[in-house]
Amino acid sequence: MKRRKFLTNTLVASVAVQMATAKAENSTKKGFKVAALTHRQKEAIIYGDIPVDFKLLGADTDERLSVFISTNNRKGHGTPPLHVHHTFDEFFCILSGSFVFLIDGERIPANTGDSIFIPRGVKHTFACTSEQPSTLLVGITPSKGIEDYFAEMGRALTPNGPDMAAVYKKYNSEILGPPME
């Protein structure tokens, strides 16, 4: 219980710091609630068969932070290729289930309550290792264009969708290898 409280407080503090540094004239001026299993982005985003529900948009924080929940992660489904982001950092908190992350060649298991930070410029991928559907909370900073990036990646996984490597390149990222097995 102490660990979960520590992780929750750490995430809340990082969100508060990001929000505090956002320019007031462009930030959301009023608090809001986003209901469970709903999103704030302009279109539903599905990465393969995994919903990506943005709860905090870049526009809410002057493009400093976006946060989404990724549900329905399952073993063998929706694993991203080995990749690197050149302009943003990622934070993952496992809300349920288990995952394994490959970060600069090191395999790191992560279970419910664990968190992972991946700074820009670090090659990585991850895979769900749970037999049951699992859930991630993901924060990305800075977040300019992030919602569009995820929407385009989702479309790239559909028939006649855009080329995934081109989508990564457009958003200052690159594919370095195949997904984890």
Coordinates of all heavy atoms in Angstrom, one line a residue, residues 4 18 27 37 49 78 92 157 164 177 179-180:
R4 N 2.1 1.9 -3.6 CA 1.1 2.4 -4.5 C 0.9 3.9 -4.2 O 0.8 4.7 -5.1 CB -0.2 1.7 -4.3 CG -1.3 2.3 -5.2 CD -2.5 1.5 -5.1 NE -2.3 0.4 -6.0 CZ -3.2 -0.6 -6.3 NH1 -4.3 -0.6 -5.6 NH2 -2.9 -1.5 -7.1
Q18 N 4.3 19.9 -14.4 CA 4.1 20.2 -15.8 C 3.0 21.2 -16.0 O 3.1 22.2 -16.7 CB 3.8 18.9 -16.6 CG 4.9 18.0 -16.8 CD 6.0 18.7 -17.6 OE1 5.8 19.4 -18.5 NE2 7.3 18.3 -17.3
S27 N -3.6 27.6 -21.6 CA -4.0 26.5 -20.8 C -5.5 26.4 -20.5 O -6.2 27.5 -20.6 CB -3.2 26.4 -19.5 OG -1.9 26.4 -19.7
L37 N -13.6 5.1 -19.3 CA -13.8 4.5 -20.6 C -14.2 5.5 -21.7 O -14.9 5.2 -22.7 CB -14.7 3.3 -20.6 CG -14.3 2.2 -19.6 CD1 -15.4 1.1 -19.6 CD2 -13.0 1.6 -20.0
D49 N -6.3 -3.3 -31.7 CA -7.6 -3.5 -31.0 C -7.5 -3.0 -29.6 O -8.3 -3.3 -28.7 CB -8.0 -5.0 -31.0 CG -7.0 -5.9 -30.3 OD1 -5.9 -5.5 -29.9 OD2 -7.3 -7.1 -30.2
G78 N -1.0 -5.8 -30.1 CA -0.7 -4.4 -29.9 C 0.7 -4.0 -29.5 O 0.9 -2.9 -29.0
F92 N 5.2 5.5 -18.0 CA 4.2 4.4 -18.0 C 3.9 4.0 -16.5 O 4.9 3.8 -15.8 CB 4.7 3.2 -18.7 CG 4.9 3.4 -20.2 CD1 6.1 3.9 -20.6 CD2 4.0 3.0 -21.1 CE1 6.4 4.1 -22.0 CE2 4.2 3.2 -22.5 CZ 5.4 3.7 -22.9
L157 N -2.3 0.8 -38.8 CA -2.6 -0.7 -38.6 C -3.8 -1.2 -39.3 O -4.2 -2.3 -39.1 CB -2.6 -0.9 -37.1 CG -1.3 -0.7 -36.3 CD1 -1.6 -0.8 -34.8 CD2 -0.3 -1.7 -36.8
M164 N 3.7 2.9 -41.5 CA 4.0 3.1 -40.1 C 5.3 3.9 -39.9 O 5.4 4.8 -39.1 CB 4.0 1.8 -39.3 CG 4.2 2.0 -37.8 SD 2.9 2.8 -36.9 CE 1.8 1.5 -36.6
G177 N 13.4 -1.6 -35.1 CA 13.4 -3.1 -35.1 C 12.0 -3.6 -35.0 O 11.0 -2.8 -34.8
P179 N 8.7 -5.7 -33.2 CA 8.1 -5.8 -31.9 C 8.7 -6.9 -31.0 O 9.3 -7.8 -31.6 CB 6.6 -6.0 -32.1 CG 6.4 -5.7 -33.5 CD 7.7 -5.9 -34.2
M180 N 8.5 -6.9 -29.8 CA 8.9 -8.0 -28.9 C 8.0 -9.1 -29.1 O 6.8 -9.0 -29.5 CB 8.8 -7.6 -27.4 CG 9.8 -6.6 -27.0 SD 9.7 -6.1 -25.3 CE 10.2 -7.6 -24.4

